[in-house]
Amino acid sequence: MHTSRTPMVAGNWKMNGDLVTNEHLLAALRNTLNRSLTSRVDVVVCPPAVYLGQVTAWVGDTGIGLGAQNVASTGNGAFTGETSAAMLADLGCRWCLVGHSERRALLGETDELVGLKLGQLVQAGIGVIACVGESLAERENGITGEVISRQIGALLESMRAADPQALVVAYEPVWAIGTGRTATAQQAQEVHAQIRSQLRQAGLDADGIRILYGGSVKPANAAELFGQADVDGGLIGGASLVAEDFTAICRAALG
Ligand code: PEP
């Protein structure tokens, strides 16, 4: 973690929760995530779209940012079932994930579509958390660098218009998501350094852009991962649903 970048910890709730469970989780987080923490770490929670209204009412004065998990690739119009970036902004969303591997693998999202979504968010003034990552087969075939470079390359044009502070890349090796298998701190650092160097070569303010690690981050491994020079925090799935664990991970980001 570099001292010039504010660390970020974002919780991706995925398709989990209901009104009552969310209320309990949020009440617990209100007790544990105090201002002294949220003033030094950008803490973000990304609930399912239907609960954004519930959570936006709650985050109010906590210093925690609201994030969405997905956005439409176009502006408002005849796109049944979609949610536009303008609507997310209207609800108070400060952040939105794009390119999560579950959406790439299960819903067929292409690099091109992810780029369009990123562009919509930048236009609406919403911070982007752009996810990239290789599969197990790609890692075993020694093409991790190539895959990450292609995924980042496809987003560079849309990234140019973004404020570096509102642009975050999340490196999430697919084989580490929800599997309990984490990349070693060295494996994470290697890919993060590659991403930063690609952003720099493309003329972006690479030192201002945060790069998060995601994939089975837990209280026990967070500090070592976040201790790497190019790891600026984490994107947390399963552990973000447990207030105690999510808080411990946020604390680990303080260094
Ligand atoms: C994720 O879904 O972005 C993620 C990193 O999940 P988990 O922490 O559960 O591996």
Side-chain angles (χ1 to χ4, degrees), residues 49-211:
V50 291
Y51 296 121
L52 286 169
Q54 178 193 19
V55 180
T56 201
W58 171 86
V59 289
D61 62 351
T62 59
I64 296 168
L66 178 67
Q69 297 176 15
N70 183 36
V71 67
S73 59
T74 61
N76 286 355
F79 300 100
T80 304
E82 291 290 272
T83 308
S84 69
M87 292 171 184
L88 296 181
D90 197 25
L91 264 180
C93 280
R94 301 222 304 262
W95 297 94
C96 182
L97 307 178
V98 291
H100 192 281
S101 64
E102 285 154 13
R103 299 198 61 85
R104 290 179 189 261
L106 306 173
L107 296 153
E109 289 204 3
T110 60
D111 287 335
E112 193 198 355
L113 188 72
V114 176
L116 291 173
K117 292 183 173 199
L118 198 158
Q120 287 292 320
L121 292 168
V122 172
Q123 250 183 43
I126 296 177
V128 176
I129 303 174
C131 307
V132 296
E134 82 286 3
S135 66
L136 184 59
E138 288 163 341
R139 177 158 284 267
E140 286 176 348
N141 286 330
I143 56 168
T144 297
E146 212 176 291
V147 170
I148 302 299
S149 163
R150 187 204 76 224
Q151 291 175 341
I152 294 285
L155 302 179
L156 287 173
E157 269 322 300
S158 318
M159 283 179 169
R160 271 181 221 295
D163 169 358
Q165 308 239 23
L167 181 58
V168 174
V169 174
Y171 167 55
E172 299 204 303
V174 178
W175 47 271
I177 297 181
T179 59
R181 224 180 127 178
T182 318
T184 63
Q186 290 69 26
Q187 284 172 323
Q189 168 57 26
E190 197 178 312
V191 177
H192 282 227
Q194 180 201 309
I195 293 171
R196 203 176 301 286
S197 136
Q198 187 177 1
L199 295 173
R200 186 173 295 116
Q201 275 169 28
L204 297 177
D205 174 10
D207 291 323
I209 296 172
R210 286 168 289 183
I211 307 178

Side-chain angles (χ1 to χ4, degrees), residues 227-241:
Q228 304 302 305
D230 288 293
V231 180
D232 303 310
L235 177 55
I236 319 301
S240 71
L241 298 170

Side-chain angles (χ1 to χ4, degrees), residues 15-27:
M15 197 171 73
N16 290 298
D18 53 50
L19 288 171
V20 173
T21 312
N22 298 348
E23 197 61 45
H24 289 148
L25 176 57
L26 294 169

